Amino acid sequence: MTNLADLPLRPDLVGRSPYGAPQLSVPVALNVNENTHPVPPEVADDILRRVGAALTEVNRYPDREFTALREALAGYLGHGLGAESIWAANGSNEVIQHVLQAFGGPGRRVLGFPPTYSMHAIIAASTATEWVPAERDDDFRISPETAVAAIERTDPDLVFLCAPNNPTGTPVGLDTIAAAYDATDGIVFVDEAYGEFMPDDAPSALTLLPGRPRLIVSRTMSKAFAFAGARVGYLAADPAVADALRLVRLPYHLSALTQAAALGALAHAPTMLGMVDDIREQRDRMAAGIEGFGYRVWPSWTNFLLFGGVADPKGLWRALLERGVLIRDLAIPGTLRVSAGTPAETDAFLDALAAVSAAPVGVRA
Ligand SMILES: *Cc1c(COP(=O)(O)O)cnc(C)c1O
């Protein structure tokens, strides 16, 4: 047994921290924006049948082009997209890694707007792409002018926009995405991991794809689809983008079992997505409850809420954990983030918050 410091690690990785959301066994886990509803049994049965069939051929490598899955994902997304516009990988984290391997790398820069999804900067680091942070406007918004000014100042090779943004829940307007695209010759990557939780009448960045070959829109099955453990993320873009990503992916990166499971889930998309409305409802109930205790809640287009006015976030986080409720401290001063869960989990969270907000630890600023 030796220490990390004794190993000949790549110099640019020295001192870096890995992704570190605590994985604790608690009654109410509302910390990583999972869909807390389990996969419905009738869907689980069909997925099991499909995975079983795939197992009988698992001596062979899987379809390297995951053609059936790409067709199913294109069909799910709509917007006139064909299979050739889709790429998928083991979670959108791997999709992001492919994008940065192909379009970033040593000597290249990716512009981001923190506070945002922490994996964007971490994957930038692991692919030796320089992460260039720029400031947001008030209330975590990004206006077209702010995005364009940051691009002109930093001349990035890629621009990452998380829309709606994690961990703030706030949307990014299509006008900002379009303006960012026009201001750069690089890749504009829109992370729409929470796309299904947006208001029903809010347009997706997918609507911007025609005529914009450097625009990439990524999605995941981890959140709305209740499929986080299966690890399936994907993107839509010009088919040439998939040609670029083929250069960096490992051959057969999507296992036959993953492909079969994802196809099963997509075959039951309406059932799998049946909980989205309920989750949005619980999110709004949670927001009202949190505000009732005197905290401030940012408007959310996702399945989670960022709330502020917390005098001692670490203390409040710990006090909730002691009551069996795990939420997330992202070290944004005065704030904590909580995922929307089932009605019972929402009750448990609000009850715990009530208990600790009456105690000194949760004193509001
Ligand atoms: C949760 C999340 C993802 C999902 O990552 P997977 O690897 O698909 O599980 C991607 N982007 C954002 C912004 C997220 O919050």
Side-chain angles (χ1 to χ4, degrees):
M1 182 67 191
T2 189
N3 283 319
L4 177 54
D6 299 326
L7 293 175
L9 186 65
R10 245 168 58 189
D12 59 301
L13 294 181
V14 171
R16 298 258 179 202
S17 302
Y19 178 80
Q23 277 197 305
L24 305 174
S25 181
V26 291
V28 182
L30 300 175
N31 63 324
V32 285
N33 302 341
E34 290 153 337
N35 189 328
T36 67
H37 301 76
V39 172
E42 68 272 25
V43 182
D45 286 347
D46 189 33
I47 291 173
L48 206 53
R49 189 185 56 74
R50 290 164 182 262
V51 170
L55 263 177
T56 65
E57 296 175 27
V58 88
N59 55 311
R60 301 289 183 183
Y61 282 112
D63 175 13
R64 203 168 53 217
E65 288 295 308
F66 44 101
T67 311
L69 178 57
R70 294 167 89 194
E71 282 166 359
L73 287 167
Y76 166 67
L77 284 182
H79 294 281
L81 291 161
E84 68 286 353
S85 295
I86 306 296
W87 186 254
N90 297 282
S92 52
N93 278 289
E94 192 180 47
V95 170
I96 294 165
Q97 178 171 284
H98 287 167
V99 167
L100 284 170
Q101 283 177 315
F103 299 107
R108 291 202 164 188
R109 284 192 295 277
V110 54
L111 174 68
F113 294 85
T116 192
Y117 184 45
S118 62
M119 285 308 300
H120 291 169
I122 291 173
I123 302 170
S126 71
T127 58
T129 314
E130 186 187 351
W131 172 253
V132 181
E135 295 224 344
R136 289 173 177 263
D137 305 318
D138 288 348
D139 286 328
F140 305 119
R141 299 286 176 139
I142 309 171
S143 70
E145 296 72 28
T146 295
V148 170
I151 290 165
E152 286 175 352
R153 198 170 61 247
T154 62
D155 190 24
D157 301 284
L158 302 101
V159 180
F160 272 29
L161 293 165
C162 192
N165 187 49
N166 179 6
T168 60
T170 40
V172 179
L174 293 195
D175 53 348
T176 294
I177 295 166
Y181 188 89
D182 290 340
T184 179
D185 294 328
I187 295 288
V188 174
F189 180 90
V190 180
D191 187 335
E192 271 194 0
Y194 300 95
E196 288 90 349
F197 295 104
M198 299 199 298
D200 290 335
D201 57 354
S204 159
L206 293 168
T207 60
L208 295 177
L209 284 174
R212 292 186 176 86
R214 294 176 287 103
L215 178 63
I216 298 174
V217 182
S218 87
R219 293 280 188 102
T220 180
M221 294 183 74
S222 293
K223 308 290 161 57
F225 257 95
F227 225 47
R231 312 303 302 124
V232 185
Y234 54 101
L235 62 72
D238 190 279
V241 169
D243 291 337
L245 304 184
R246 267 187 204 95
L247 300 172
V248 297
R249 64 96 175 269
L250 298 174
Y252 318 108
H253 69 288
L254 272 180
S255 88
L257 308 185
T258 302
Q259 293 185 42
L263 279 167
L266 285 161
H268 300 270
T271 310
M272 293 291 276
L273 296 171
M275 285 298 149
V276 165
D277 285 344
D278 187 58
I279 292 166
R280 288 192 287 206
E281 209 172 287
Q282 296 311 313
R283 171 198 70 200
D284 294 343
R285 186 161 78 85
M286 223 175 213
I290 296 169
E291 277 174 345
F293 295 119
Y295 300 102
R296 149 145 208 231
V297 183
W298 277 273
S300 171
W301 279 19
T302 63
N303 66 339
F304 59 84
L305 295 165
L306 186 76
F307 62 99
V310 183
D312 175 11
K314 278 197 174 60
L316 181 56
W317 181 86
R318 211 173 302 112
L320 290 170
L321 184 58
E322 279 162 13
R323 283 160 180 80
V325 180
L326 177 61
I327 67 168
R328 192 86 187 273
D329 176 7
L330 288 142
I332 303 171
T335 71
L336 289 170
R337 192 193 69 190
V338 60
S339 317
T342 61
E345 287 165 331
T346 303
D347 287 342
F349 166 75
L350 291 175
D351 288 350
L353 190 63
V356 300
S357 293
V361 70
V363 170
R364 275 79 83 205

